[in-house]
Short mmCIF file of all heavy atoms in Angstrom, two decimals:
data_model
loop_
_atom_site.label_atom_id
_atom_site.label_comp_id
_atom_site.label_asym_id
_atom_site.label_seq_id
_atom_site.Cartn_x
_atom_site.Cartn_y
_atom_site.Cartn_z
N GLU A 1 0.81 -1.21 0.00
CA GLU A 1 0.00 0.00 0.00
C GLU A 1 0.84 1.27 0.00
O GLU A 1 0.31 2.36 0.09
CB GLU A 1 -0.93 -0.01 1.21
CG GLU A 1 -1.96 -1.12 1.19
CD GLU A 1 -2.80 -1.15 2.46
OE1 GLU A 1 -2.52 -0.35 3.39
OE2 GLU A 1 -3.72 -1.98 2.53
N LYS A 2 2.17 1.09 -0.11
CA LYS A 2 3.11 2.22 -0.09
C LYS A 2 3.03 3.01 1.20
O LYS A 2 3.24 4.22 1.23
CB LYS A 2 2.87 3.14 -1.30
CG LYS A 2 2.84 2.44 -2.65
CD LYS A 2 4.15 1.73 -2.94
CE LYS A 2 4.11 1.03 -4.30
NZ LYS A 2 5.36 0.26 -4.56
N ARG A 3 2.75 2.29 2.32
CA ARG A 3 2.65 2.93 3.62
C ARG A 3 3.73 2.48 4.59
O ARG A 3 3.70 2.87 5.75
CB ARG A 3 1.27 2.67 4.22
CG ARG A 3 0.14 3.30 3.46
CD ARG A 3 -1.13 3.37 4.28
NE ARG A 3 -1.76 2.08 4.54
CZ ARG A 3 -2.05 1.61 5.74
NH1 ARG A 3 -1.70 2.29 6.82
NH2 ARG A 3 -2.66 0.45 5.88
N TYR A 4 4.67 1.65 4.13
CA TYR A 4 5.74 1.20 5.00
C TYR A 4 6.70 2.36 5.26
O TYR A 4 7.14 3.04 4.34
CB TYR A 4 6.49 0.03 4.36
CG TYR A 4 7.60 -0.51 5.22
CD1 TYR A 4 7.33 -1.27 6.34
CD2 TYR A 4 8.94 -0.25 4.92
CE1 TYR A 4 8.34 -1.79 7.14
CE2 TYR A 4 9.96 -0.75 5.70
CZ TYR A 4 9.65 -1.51 6.82
OH TYR A 4 10.67 -1.99 7.60
N ARG A 5 7.02 2.58 6.51
CA ARG A 5 7.81 3.73 6.90
C ARG A 5 9.29 3.38 7.02
O ARG A 5 9.66 2.41 7.69
CB ARG A 5 7.29 4.32 8.21
CG ARG A 5 5.85 4.77 8.08
CD ARG A 5 5.31 5.41 9.30
NE ARG A 5 3.94 5.85 9.08
CZ ARG A 5 3.25 6.62 9.87
NH1 ARG A 5 3.79 7.05 10.97
NH2 ARG A 5 2.01 6.97 9.59
N VAL A 6 10.10 4.17 6.35
CA VAL A 6 11.55 4.00 6.38
C VAL A 6 12.14 5.11 7.24
O VAL A 6 11.86 6.30 7.02
CB VAL A 6 12.14 4.06 4.95
CG1 VAL A 6 13.66 3.92 5.01
CG2 VAL A 6 11.53 2.96 4.08
N PHE A 7 12.93 4.75 8.23
CA PHE A 7 13.52 5.72 9.14
C PHE A 7 14.89 6.15 8.65
O PHE A 7 15.75 5.31 8.35
CB PHE A 7 13.65 5.14 10.55
CG PHE A 7 12.34 4.70 11.15
CD1 PHE A 7 12.30 3.67 12.08
CD2 PHE A 7 11.16 5.31 10.80
CE1 PHE A 7 11.09 3.27 12.64
CE2 PHE A 7 9.94 4.92 11.36
CZ PHE A 7 9.92 3.89 12.27
N ALA A 8 15.10 7.43 8.56
CA ALA A 8 16.40 7.97 8.18
C ALA A 8 17.33 7.98 9.38
O ALA A 8 16.96 8.46 10.45
CB ALA A 8 16.24 9.38 7.62
N ASP A 9 18.52 7.43 9.20
CA ASP A 9 19.54 7.38 10.25
C ASP A 9 20.29 8.71 10.25
O ASP A 9 21.15 8.96 9.41
CB ASP A 9 20.49 6.21 9.98
CG ASP A 9 21.57 6.02 11.05
OD1 ASP A 9 21.70 6.90 11.92
OD2 ASP A 9 22.29 5.01 10.99
N LEU A 10 19.99 9.56 11.22
CA LEU A 10 20.50 10.93 11.23
C LEU A 10 21.32 11.20 12.48
O LEU A 10 21.03 10.71 13.56
CB LEU A 10 19.35 11.93 11.16
CG LEU A 10 18.39 11.81 9.98
CD1 LEU A 10 17.23 12.77 10.15
CD2 LEU A 10 19.13 12.09 8.68
N GLU A 11 22.34 12.02 12.33
CA GLU A 11 23.14 12.49 13.45
C GLU A 11 23.21 14.01 13.35
O GLU A 11 23.96 14.57 12.55
CB GLU A 11 24.55 11.88 13.38
CG GLU A 11 25.45 12.27 14.55
CD GLU A 11 26.81 11.61 14.45
OE1 GLU A 11 26.89 10.44 14.03
OE2 GLU A 11 27.81 12.28 14.79
N ARG A 12 22.38 14.66 14.15
CA ARG A 12 22.35 16.12 14.13
C ARG A 12 23.69 16.68 14.61
O ARG A 12 24.32 16.12 15.50
CB ARG A 12 21.21 16.66 14.97
CG ARG A 12 19.84 16.14 14.51
CD ARG A 12 18.72 17.08 14.86
NE ARG A 12 18.60 17.38 16.26
CZ ARG A 12 17.82 18.35 16.75
NH1 ARG A 12 17.11 19.09 15.94
NH2 ARG A 12 17.75 18.56 18.05
N ILE A 13 24.08 17.80 14.06
CA ILE A 13 25.38 18.40 14.37
C ILE A 13 25.14 19.62 15.26
O ILE A 13 24.59 20.63 14.81
CB ILE A 13 26.14 18.82 13.10
CG1 ILE A 13 26.25 17.63 12.14
CG2 ILE A 13 27.50 19.37 13.46
CD1 ILE A 13 26.78 18.01 10.77
N ALA A 14 25.50 19.52 16.52
CA ALA A 14 25.29 20.61 17.47
C ALA A 14 25.98 21.88 17.00
O ALA A 14 27.15 21.87 16.61
CB ALA A 14 25.81 20.22 18.86
N GLY A 15 25.21 22.96 16.99
CA GLY A 15 25.74 24.23 16.54
C GLY A 15 25.60 24.48 15.06
O GLY A 15 25.85 25.60 14.58
N ARG A 16 25.17 23.45 14.29
CA ARG A 16 25.05 23.59 12.85
C ARG A 16 23.66 23.20 12.34
O ARG A 16 23.49 22.99 11.15
CB ARG A 16 26.13 22.78 12.13
CG ARG A 16 27.55 23.26 12.39
CD ARG A 16 28.51 22.53 11.47
NE ARG A 16 28.16 22.76 10.08
CZ ARG A 16 28.43 21.90 9.09
NH1 ARG A 16 29.03 20.75 9.35
NH2 ARG A 16 28.08 22.17 7.85
N PHE A 17 22.69 23.05 13.23
CA PHE A 17 21.34 22.74 12.81
C PHE A 17 20.88 23.78 11.79
O PHE A 17 21.16 24.96 11.95
CB PHE A 17 20.42 22.76 14.04
CG PHE A 17 18.98 22.45 13.74
CD1 PHE A 17 18.57 21.15 13.53
CD2 PHE A 17 18.04 23.47 13.66
CE1 PHE A 17 17.24 20.87 13.25
CE2 PHE A 17 16.72 23.19 13.38
CZ PHE A 17 16.32 21.89 13.17
N PRO A 18 20.22 23.35 10.67
CA PRO A 18 19.62 22.04 10.37
C PRO A 18 20.51 21.06 9.63
O PRO A 18 19.99 20.12 9.00
CB PRO A 18 18.43 22.46 9.50
CG PRO A 18 18.94 23.65 8.74
CD PRO A 18 19.81 24.39 9.69
N ARG A 19 21.82 21.25 9.68
CA ARG A 19 22.71 20.28 9.05
C ARG A 19 22.79 19.02 9.91
O ARG A 19 22.72 19.08 11.14
CB ARG A 19 24.10 20.87 8.88
CG ARG A 19 24.16 22.14 8.05
CD ARG A 19 23.77 21.95 6.61
NE ARG A 19 24.14 23.14 5.81
CZ ARG A 19 23.73 23.38 4.58
NH1 ARG A 19 22.93 22.51 3.98
NH2 ARG A 19 24.12 24.47 3.94
N ALA A 20 22.96 17.87 9.24
CA ALA A 20 23.07 16.60 9.95
C ALA A 20 23.85 15.61 9.10
O ALA A 20 24.03 15.81 7.89
CB ALA A 20 21.69 16.03 10.27
N ILE A 21 24.33 14.55 9.73
CA ILE A 21 24.99 13.45 9.03
C ILE A 21 23.97 12.35 8.78
O ILE A 21 23.29 11.90 9.69
CB ILE A 21 26.17 12.89 9.85
CG1 ILE A 21 27.20 13.99 10.14
CG2 ILE A 21 26.82 11.73 9.10
CD1 ILE A 21 27.82 14.61 8.91
N PHE A 22 23.83 11.95 7.52
CA PHE A 22 22.95 10.85 7.13
C PHE A 22 23.79 9.63 6.82
O PHE A 22 24.81 9.71 6.13
CB PHE A 22 22.12 11.24 5.90
CG PHE A 22 21.42 10.07 5.26
CD1 PHE A 22 20.29 9.51 5.85
CD2 PHE A 22 21.90 9.53 4.07
CE1 PHE A 22 19.65 8.43 5.26
CE2 PHE A 22 21.25 8.45 3.48
CZ PHE A 22 20.13 7.90 4.07
N ARG A 23 23.36 8.45 7.34
CA ARG A 23 24.01 7.18 7.06
C ARG A 23 23.04 6.26 6.34
O ARG A 23 21.92 6.04 6.81
CB ARG A 23 24.52 6.54 8.34
CG ARG A 23 25.72 7.25 8.96
CD ARG A 23 26.17 6.56 10.26
NE ARG A 23 27.42 7.15 10.75
CZ ARG A 23 27.50 8.25 11.46
NH1 ARG A 23 26.38 8.91 11.78
NH2 ARG A 23 28.67 8.72 11.87
N ASP A 24 23.49 5.69 5.21
CA ASP A 24 22.64 4.76 4.47
C ASP A 24 22.81 3.35 5.02
O ASP A 24 23.52 3.13 6.02
CB ASP A 24 22.95 4.83 2.97
CG ASP A 24 24.39 4.43 2.63
OD1 ASP A 24 25.05 3.73 3.44
OD2 ASP A 24 24.87 4.81 1.53
N ASN A 25 22.18 2.37 4.39
CA ASN A 25 22.21 1.00 4.88
C ASN A 25 23.60 0.38 4.86
O ASN A 25 23.88 -0.57 5.59
CB ASN A 25 21.25 0.13 4.07
CG ASN A 25 19.80 0.50 4.31
OD1 ASN A 25 19.44 1.00 5.38
ND2 ASN A 25 18.93 0.25 3.33
N ALA A 26 24.48 0.91 4.02
CA ALA A 26 25.86 0.43 3.95
C ALA A 26 26.78 1.22 4.89
O ALA A 26 27.99 1.03 4.86
CB ALA A 26 26.37 0.51 2.52
N ASP A 27 26.19 2.08 5.70
CA ASP A 27 26.89 2.90 6.67
C ASP A 27 27.75 3.98 6.01
O ASP A 27 28.66 4.52 6.65
CB ASP A 27 27.74 2.05 7.62
CG ASP A 27 27.83 2.66 9.01
OD1 ASP A 27 26.88 3.36 9.42
OD2 ASP A 27 28.84 2.44 9.70
N ASN A 28 27.48 4.26 4.73
CA ASN A 28 28.12 5.42 4.11
C ASN A 28 27.48 6.69 4.67
O ASN A 28 26.28 6.71 4.93
CB ASN A 28 27.94 5.38 2.59
CG ASN A 28 28.54 4.15 1.97
OD1 ASN A 28 29.71 3.82 2.22
ND2 ASN A 28 27.77 3.42 1.16
N GLN A 29 28.25 7.73 4.85
CA GLN A 29 27.71 8.93 5.46
C GLN A 29 27.98 10.17 4.63
O GLN A 29 28.98 10.26 3.92
CB GLN A 29 28.27 9.11 6.87
CG GLN A 29 29.75 9.34 6.95
CD GLN A 29 30.23 9.48 8.40
OE1 GLN A 29 30.08 8.55 9.19
NE2 GLN A 29 30.81 10.63 8.74
N ARG A 30 27.05 11.12 4.72
CA ARG A 30 27.23 12.40 4.06
C ARG A 30 26.39 13.46 4.78
O ARG A 30 25.45 13.12 5.50
CB ARG A 30 26.84 12.33 2.59
CG ARG A 30 25.37 12.08 2.32
CD ARG A 30 25.12 12.00 0.82
NE ARG A 30 23.71 11.96 0.45
CZ ARG A 30 22.96 10.88 0.41
NH1 ARG A 30 23.52 9.71 0.69
NH2 ARG A 30 21.68 10.94 0.05
N GLU A 31 26.74 14.70 4.57
CA GLU A 31 26.03 15.79 5.23
C GLU A 31 24.79 16.18 4.43
O GLU A 31 24.84 16.30 3.21
CB GLU A 31 26.94 17.00 5.39
CG GLU A 31 26.32 18.13 6.21
CD GLU A 31 27.30 19.25 6.49
OE1 GLU A 31 28.37 18.98 7.10
OE2 GLU A 31 27.00 20.41 6.11
N ILE A 32 23.68 16.36 5.15
CA ILE A 32 22.43 16.74 4.51
C ILE A 32 21.81 17.92 5.26
O ILE A 32 22.28 18.32 6.33
CB ILE A 32 21.42 15.56 4.49
CG1 ILE A 32 21.05 15.19 5.93
CG2 ILE A 32 21.99 14.37 3.73
CD1 ILE A 32 19.82 14.34 6.04
N THR A 33 20.72 18.45 4.69
CA THR A 33 19.94 19.50 5.34
C THR A 33 18.56 18.95 5.66
O THR A 33 17.87 18.43 4.79
CB THR A 33 19.81 20.74 4.44
OG1 THR A 33 21.11 21.21 4.08
CG2 THR A 33 19.06 21.86 5.18
N ILE A 34 18.16 19.06 6.92
CA ILE A 34 16.84 18.59 7.36
C ILE A 34 15.82 19.72 7.18
O ILE A 34 16.01 20.83 7.68
CB ILE A 34 16.87 18.15 8.84
CG1 ILE A 34 17.87 17.00 9.03
CG2 ILE A 34 15.47 17.73 9.30
CD1 ILE A 34 18.06 16.60 10.48
N TRP A 35 14.72 19.39 6.50
CA TRP A 35 13.67 20.37 6.26
C TRP A 35 12.33 19.93 6.85
O TRP A 35 11.29 20.53 6.52
CB TRP A 35 13.49 20.61 4.76
CG TRP A 35 14.40 21.68 4.21
CD1 TRP A 35 15.57 21.49 3.53
CD2 TRP A 35 14.20 23.08 4.28
NE1 TRP A 35 16.12 22.70 3.19
CE2 TRP A 35 15.29 23.70 3.63
CE3 TRP A 35 13.21 23.90 4.84
CZ2 TRP A 35 15.41 25.08 3.50
CZ3 TRP A 35 13.34 25.28 4.73
CH2 TRP A 35 14.43 25.85 4.07
N CYS A 36 12.32 18.93 7.73
CA CYS A 36 11.06 18.45 8.28
C CYS A 36 11.14 18.23 9.78
O CYS A 36 10.32 17.49 10.34
CB CYS A 36 10.62 17.17 7.58
SG CYS A 36 11.83 15.82 7.64
N SER A 37 12.07 18.86 10.45
CA SER A 37 12.22 18.67 11.89
C SER A 37 11.11 19.38 12.65
O SER A 37 10.64 20.45 12.24
CB SER A 37 13.58 19.19 12.35
OG SER A 37 13.68 19.16 13.77
N ASN A 38 10.68 18.81 13.79
CA ASN A 38 9.76 19.54 14.66
C ASN A 38 10.50 20.27 15.78
O ASN A 38 9.86 20.79 16.71
CB ASN A 38 8.66 18.63 15.21
CG ASN A 38 9.16 17.53 16.11
OD1 ASN A 38 10.28 17.57 16.60
ND2 ASN A 38 8.32 16.53 16.36
N ASP A 39 11.81 20.35 15.71
CA ASP A 39 12.58 21.26 16.56
C ASP A 39 12.46 22.63 15.91
O ASP A 39 13.40 23.18 15.35
CB ASP A 39 14.04 20.81 16.64
CG ASP A 39 14.87 21.60 17.65
OD1 ASP A 39 14.31 22.55 18.27
OD2 ASP A 39 16.07 21.30 17.80
N TYR A 40 11.25 23.18 16.01
CA TYR A 40 10.83 24.30 15.19
C TYR A 40 11.68 25.56 15.34
O TYR A 40 11.78 26.36 14.41
CB TYR A 40 9.38 24.65 15.48
CG TYR A 40 8.36 23.63 15.02
CD1 TYR A 40 7.29 23.27 15.84
CD2 TYR A 40 8.42 23.06 13.77
CE1 TYR A 40 6.32 22.36 15.42
CE2 TYR A 40 7.48 22.15 13.34
CZ TYR A 40 6.43 21.81 14.18
OH TYR A 40 5.48 20.91 13.75
N LEU A 41 12.25 25.77 16.51
CA LEU A 41 13.03 26.98 16.76
C LEU A 41 14.51 26.69 16.94
O LEU A 41 15.30 27.60 17.22
CB LEU A 41 12.50 27.71 18.00
CG LEU A 41 11.03 28.16 17.94
CD1 LEU A 41 10.61 28.78 19.27
CD2 LEU A 41 10.82 29.15 16.81
N GLY A 42 14.90 25.43 16.79
CA GLY A 42 16.30 25.06 16.99
C GLY A 42 16.73 25.08 18.45
O GLY A 42 17.92 25.06 18.74
N MET A 43 15.75 25.06 19.38
CA MET A 43 16.09 25.14 20.80
C MET A 43 16.74 23.86 21.31
O MET A 43 17.37 23.87 22.37
CB MET A 43 14.84 25.46 21.62
CG MET A 43 14.29 26.85 21.40
SD MET A 43 15.46 28.17 21.77
CE MET A 43 15.75 27.93 23.53
N GLY A 44 16.62 22.77 20.57
CA GLY A 44 17.28 21.53 20.96
C GLY A 44 18.79 21.64 20.96
O GLY A 44 19.47 20.82 21.58
N GLN A 45 19.32 22.64 20.27
CA GLN A 45 20.76 22.84 20.23
C GLN A 45 21.15 24.25 20.66
O GLN A 45 22.27 24.70 20.41
CB GLN A 45 21.28 22.54 18.82
CG GLN A 45 21.01 21.10 18.41
CD GLN A 45 21.62 20.72 17.09
OE1 GLN A 45 22.63 21.26 16.67
NE2 GLN A 45 21.02 19.77 16.41
N HIS A 46 20.25 24.93 21.34
CA HIS A 46 20.56 26.27 21.83
C HIS A 46 21.52 26.17 23.02
O HIS A 46 21.38 25.29 23.88
CB HIS A 46 19.27 26.97 22.25
CG HIS A 46 19.41 28.44 22.44
ND1 HIS A 46 20.05 28.99 23.54
CD2 HIS A 46 19.01 29.50 21.67
CE1 HIS A 46 20.02 30.31 23.44
NE2 HIS A 46 19.40 30.64 22.31
N PRO A 47 22.48 27.06 23.11
CA PRO A 47 23.46 27.00 24.21
C PRO A 47 22.82 27.00 25.60
O PRO A 47 23.30 26.30 26.50
CB PRO A 47 24.31 28.26 23.99
CG PRO A 47 24.22 28.52 22.52
CD PRO A 47 22.84 28.10 22.12
N VAL A 48 21.73 27.75 25.80
CA VAL A 48 21.11 27.80 27.12
C VAL A 48 20.48 26.46 27.50
O VAL A 48 20.52 26.06 28.67
CB VAL A 48 20.06 28.94 27.19
CG1 VAL A 48 18.82 28.61 26.36
CG2 VAL A 48 19.67 29.25 28.63
#
């Protein structure tokens, strides 16, 4: 039904949000930009 959910393996980079490291199934990694986070204000990585 095209409803199976695939989870993206992400490693957020503190201080550089919304940049993150993405790892594929072969554990290859590259930097990506997240455009669907619910950390709406970036407070998850705020210094305070």
Side-chain angles (χ1 to χ4, degrees):
E1 295 176 356
K2 308 300 180 184
R3 294 197 290 125
Y4 181 74
R5 300 183 178 191
V6 179
F7 301 151
D9 182 351
L10 303 173
E11 183 179 322
R12 302 206 302 169
I13 307 170
R16 295 189 59 207
F17 180 78
R19 302 295 192 192
I21 302 299
F22 167 75
R23 289 179 173 83
D24 62 21
N25 292 332
D27 213 29
N28 300 309
Q29 63 182 61
R30 66 181 189 275
E31 187 173 302
I32 64 164
T33 303
I34 300 174
W35 272 100
C36 57
S37 173
N38 64 17
D39 187 358
Y40 291 137
L41 300 176
M43 292 302 297
Q45 299 186 28
H46 195 285
V48 71

